[in-house]
Amino acid sequence: MKMIFLGPPGAGKGTLADLAVDLLKIPHISTGDLFRAAVKEGSPLGLKVKDILASGGLVPDALTIEIVRERLGKSDCQKGWILDGFPRTIPQAEALEALEPADKAVNFHVADEVVIGRLSTRRVCRACGKIYNVRNMKPKVEGVCDACGGEVYTRDDDKEPSIKTRLDNYNKQTAPLIDWFGAKGKLVTIDGVGEPALVLERFKAALGIK
Ligand code: AP5
Ligand code: MG
């Protein structure tokens, strides 16, 4: 199964993708994670995108499409994939359709006021990317990742005004993809509010996954 996870920042795309890959045994490809890894390495790509990510802006389409093209060419993608955070613009969606069309676009519906609350309380492991929340999904030891012992930190873009910029960009550039995938008959919309385990059950039911 080739799947796109759509939804505003903080909708729970990364959280759900981590649960879904355990079930589906296909890779979770997050363009945000790929860019953050490049920033951490200090690679030429990382130097190009560091300030864009911190401000909440979008990386240029050509660069983003090239990163995804390379990643989808790897051997672990043969049985399918979950693309989280890509496409985010119509040109990116057109490029993916030409390269390797997705079977489904799963749209996680969550209201703006809920995502703002989630983002301002999110924490992430700097080493493995595991996602936490200081309200309801805390690591066992404060500041330390349960999975790998890495440092749990606040993403640079989970601060004002970046959260607002990301939501504005989502509404202007990414939300039109909901109708775009709808017109192709590929759209599945899921209510993203509720415990992650409940959202996972909705996801499985909507896609006919046992
Ligand atoms: P990216 O990393 O993709 O960020 P995003 O789209 O803003 O999405 P988030 O990761 O913030 O949210 P999420 O939906 O994954 O939520 P999460 O599961 O963490 O992109 C970062 C940046 O990279 C972009 O701003 C851009 O600069 C660049 N970029 C990436 N892709 C690009 C592209 N295609 N084109 C151009 N630029 C690109 O959950 C959030 C919080 O809520 C967590 O604390 C979690 O614990 C909690 N939570 C999750 N689910 C629930 C639930 N059901 N109930 C309660 N809390 C929950
Ligand atoms: Mg994410």
Side-chain angles (χ1 to χ4, degrees):
M1 174 83 85
K2 296 173 182 173
M3 262 187 274
I4 291 161
F5 277 11
L6 277 177
K13 304 180 295 293
T15 301
L16 245 290
D18 285 342
L19 297 173
V21 293
D22 286 344
L23 207 67
L24 300 170
K25 313 287 181 220
I26 52 176
H28 166 204
I29 301 168
S30 153
T31 39
D33 286 349
L34 294 175
F35 289 137
R36 279 185 292 278
V39 170
K40 191 174 150 202
E41 272 170 28
S43 67
L45 170 67
L47 295 175
K48 265 189 211 160
V49 302
K50 185 172 191 275
D51 291 344
I52 302 175
L53 258 68
S55 69
L58 288 183
V59 175
D61 284 339
L63 189 53
T64 308
I65 291 163
E66 182 52 25
I67 301 291
V68 171
R69 195 188 59 75
E70 271 178 32
R71 182 64 187 86
L72 294 185
K74 297 206 169 152
S75 58
D76 63 337
C77 291
Q78 280 168 4
K79 287 194 189 146
W81 32 257
I82 294 175
L83 263 177
D84 157 11
F86 182 95
R88 242 179 171 92
T89 63
I90 303 271
Q92 290 181 14
E94 287 168 344
L96 182 66
E97 201 69 9
L99 181 70
E100 215 175 314
D103 303 309
K104 296 283 177 200
V106 184
N107 173 37
F108 294 92
H109 180 77
V110 181
D112 281 7
E113 55 276 19
V114 177
V115 298
I116 291 168
R118 287 183 183 179
L119 292 175
S120 52
T121 50
R122 173 167 58 188
R123 303 290 182 270
V124 178
C125 175
R126 209 183 276 282
C128 74
K130 189 170 166 61
I131 302 163
Y132 296 94
N133 194 288
V134 294
R135 272 195 208 147
N136 52 358
M137 286 171 242
K138 291 182 189 176
K140 291 189 185 96
V141 178
E142 194 183 331
V144 181
C145 178
D146 296 344
C148 77
E151 180 204 354
V152 172
Y153 80 117
T154 302
R155 266 170 50 174
D156 290 343
D157 57 350
D158 279 349
K159 296 167 191 162
E160 283 291 351
S162 302
I163 292 178
K164 183 176 181 310
T165 306
R166 286 158 65 205
L167 269 173
D168 286 349
N169 283 336
Y170 170 77
N171 286 319
K172 284 190 198 122
Q173 309 229 50
T174 310
L177 291 177
I178 296 171
D179 285 346
W180 196 89
F181 282 110
K184 293 202 175 304
K186 295 185 178 185
L187 185 72
V188 176
T189 292
I190 290 176
D191 177 2
V193 179
E195 287 297 307
L198 176 62
V199 181
L200 180 68
E201 288 310 313
R202 289 183 195 133
F203 166 81
K204 285 165 63 180
L207 289 156
I209 298 165
K210 300 267 182 244

